[in-house]
Each structure stands twice: as C-alpha cells, then as structure tokens.
Amino acid sequence: MTETTPVHEHATRDLGEAQPVTGERADLLETLAKHRQFLRFTTRDLDDEQAGRRTTASELCLGGLIKHVTAVERNWARFIVEGPSAMGDFTAMTEADWARRVDEFRMLPGETLAGVLDDYAEVAGRTDELVRTLPDLNAAHPLPKAPWFEPDARWSARRVLMHIIAETAQHAGHADIIRESLDGAKSMG
C-alpha cells in the first residue's frame, strides 16, 4: 500500500486488546452494517427455492444477489491488502471465465440460503476487522486491468470501502424489487 509499509504486514499483526472504533472508521462500519442488513432482510422467512427464484425479467434472484455481493466484498477486501493481483486481469478473461462469473448471480444446485448467508456473514466479519485494523485508509493500489476502469487509476482503501457500500446498497434495492415481486413483502413501507 505505501512504499515503506505494506498493509498486509499491519493487517495481520497481533493488536492485543481491541481498541474502540471511532470517527470515520466507525461511520464506515455502521454504514456497511446498515446496508448489509437491508440486503439480508429481503430474504427473511424464505426457503431455498424462493431464494433461488427469478421474479423479474433479469437473471437475478435473492440468493444470487447475496452471493454476488459476498464475492464483490471478498475480492475488494483482498484488493485492499494485496493490490490488483487479488482480482486478476479482467481484460484477459475468456468466455468460459465470464460464464463462470454468471454463476455468482444465481443459486446453484446444492446451495442453500443459510449457506449463502453464512458465507456473507463470514466475509463481512473479515472486512469489518480490516476496517478496524488497517493502518491507513489513504493507502492505495493501482486498479486491476478492466475495460470499465480508467487506465492507471488508483483507489485508496477508503475509496474501495465506499465502493463496497455502494455495491451493497444498490443490490439491496434490487433485492427489494425481487422480494416484492416474489410475494409482496417489502423492506420498508
């Protein structure tokens, strides 16, 4: 992250007793928690079949959205620690790679809503720990190669966390529409 102190050296050190989180980090954690809860709430009282059901013209289902947000958060948190190598080169992806990526948007045979939610909780816990222990939110890496990123752009850990929040909030809105189409249940209103 910085030239003198890679973030992974700090993120894995023994910090002893947990220090209270305040200021910007507390705000990031609170905002992440709020939007994660909105997303999880859309799956309340559903079974696996309902969580995997498409209810709109898109390929999206509730379980698949949570799988996608989990993958996004996992990959971006790894990016904060490891840099662009954690995500790979999107410009080199094959059609088969893209086809496999589509699977993160749907519930596959054998997957359960409980399993998807457990995976999401595990990833969220690791991200929250990173927010608490990261030495510098300004530490930045170049973005991975992808047609949707500006060449030579760099994102700080702070910018990545804001991106995770935005992705989670956007997909919580998608999930709300899917849930309402499924059985009329709403997150608000």
Side-chain angles (χ1 to χ4, degrees):
M1 306 277 297
T2 62
E3 294 300 319
T4 57
T5 312
V7 72
H8 63 277
E9 290 178 18
H10 292 290
T12 58
R13 68 183 172 172
D14 179 18
L15 297 175
E17 228 175 278
Q19 299 297 314
V21 178
T22 60
E24 178 181 22
R25 291 171 194 261
D27 291 343
L28 289 166
L29 290 170
E30 181 182 336
T31 304
L32 280 164
K34 178 178 84 172
H35 291 293
R36 287 176 185 139
Q37 179 54 32
F38 280 135
L39 179 59
R40 283 191 303 266
F41 188 64
T42 63
T43 66
R44 70 197 176 283
D45 304 322
L46 295 181
D47 61 29
D48 295 337
E49 186 275 328
Q50 291 168 311
R53 190 182 308 157
R54 292 176 41 211
T55 63
T56 65
S58 80
E59 292 291 325
L60 300 176
C61 67
L62 292 171
L65 274 174
I66 293 172
K67 282 177 54 180
H68 170 68
V69 171
T70 301
V72 165
E73 186 167 327
R74 177 185 294 119
N75 290 337
W76 280 111
R78 284 184 56 222
F79 171 85
I80 289 172
V81 175
E82 300 171 24
S85 65
M87 297 177 84
D89 180 349
F90 291 97
T91 63
M93 287 180 67
T94 66
E95 284 187 38
D97 294 330
W98 288 111
R100 279 189 297 279
R101 189 173 164 108
V102 169
D103 285 343
E104 81 180 30
F105 287 96
R106 46 183 188 221
M107 298 272 292
L108 300 175
E111 291 180 330
T112 65
L113 178 58
V116 168
L117 290 169
D118 286 348
D119 191 31
Y120 188 37
E122 181 183 322
V123 168
R126 286 195 307 260
T127 302
D128 289 352
E129 184 62 20
L130 184 61
V131 172
R132 287 196 258 327
T133 61
L134 195 65
D136 184 4
L137 293 176
N138 291 315
H141 289 297
L143 290 175
K145 289 183 182 179
W148 50 85
F149 291 135
E150 184 179 320
D152 302 320
R154 296 176 65 83
W155 279 9
S156 67
R158 175 184 296 101
R159 174 65 183 91
V160 170
L161 293 166
M162 290 188 304
H163 179 71
I164 292 169
I165 290 167
E167 280 271 333
T168 306
Q170 178 180 12
H171 291 309
H174 292 145
D176 228 4
I177 292 167
I178 292 168
R179 179 60 192 261
E180 189 172 356
S181 297
L182 180 65
D183 64 4
K186 299 178 185 178
S187 293
M188 292 185 198

